[in-house]
């Protein structure tokens, strides 16, 4: 294995720990943002999937990645701030 391969192999555990911690921070920040803005939501799949009922629309949201979609639209977007803008514009 080359020098770069050795580097990536040696840092695998560090990168994995960073990724797990980042997803946890994303989750906590997103849920707190929903609570602070009085958004009604249901937690599904141990909190990895959030269903928001807003103005007769169901919105699927995954807080660890920030991905969300209005059910039936077939399109996805990312980010809690984009989601909040969408909710305030509807």
């Amino acid at each position: 294995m080359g020098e770069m391969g050795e580097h990536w192999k040696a840092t695998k555990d560090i990168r994995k720990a960073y990724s797990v911690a980042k997803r946890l921070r994303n989750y906590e920040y997103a849920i707190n943002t929903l609570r602070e803005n009085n958004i009604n939501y249901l937690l599904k799949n141990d909190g990895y999937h959030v269903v928001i009922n807003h103005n007769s629309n169901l919105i699927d949201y995954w807080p660890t990645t920030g991905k969300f979609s209005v059910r039936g639209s077939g399109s996805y977007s990312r980010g809690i701030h984009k989601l909040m803008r969408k909710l305030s514009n509807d």
Side-chain angles (χ1 to χ4, degrees):
M1 188 177 309
E3 190 174 313
M4 284 303 292
E6 292 293 331
H7 166 75
W8 291 114
K9 186 177 179 182
T11 61
K12 182 179 180 180
D13 291 338
I14 294 168
R15 290 181 288 116
K16 176 71 174 174
Y18 174 79
S19 178
V20 169
K22 182 177 180 182
R23 286 193 307 270
L24 178 61
R25 283 192 312 271
N26 289 350
Y27 174 81
E28 291 171 345
Y29 180 77
I31 296 300
N32 285 336
T33 300
L34 293 173
R35 283 184 188 140
E36 288 170 0
N37 288 281
N38 297 316
I39 304 297
N40 293 322
Y41 62 90
L42 288 170
L43 295 176
K44 304 284 186 174
N45 194 21
D46 292 326
Y48 289 103
H49 178 207
V50 177
V51 178
I52 300 167
N53 188 345
H54 183 74
N55 290 345
S56 301
N57 289 318
L58 290 178
I59 300 170
D60 294 305
Y61 176 59
W62 294 269
T64 57
T65 61
K67 188 175 181 180
F68 69 90
S69 176
V70 176
R71 282 195 191 167
S73 71
S75 64
Y76 293 87
S77 192
R78 288 190 186 269
I80 185 66
H81 297 289
K82 278 187 183 177
L83 174 60
M84 297 309 298
R85 277 195 303 273
K86 176 152 190 60
L87 294 175
S88 67
N89 291 337
D90 285 350

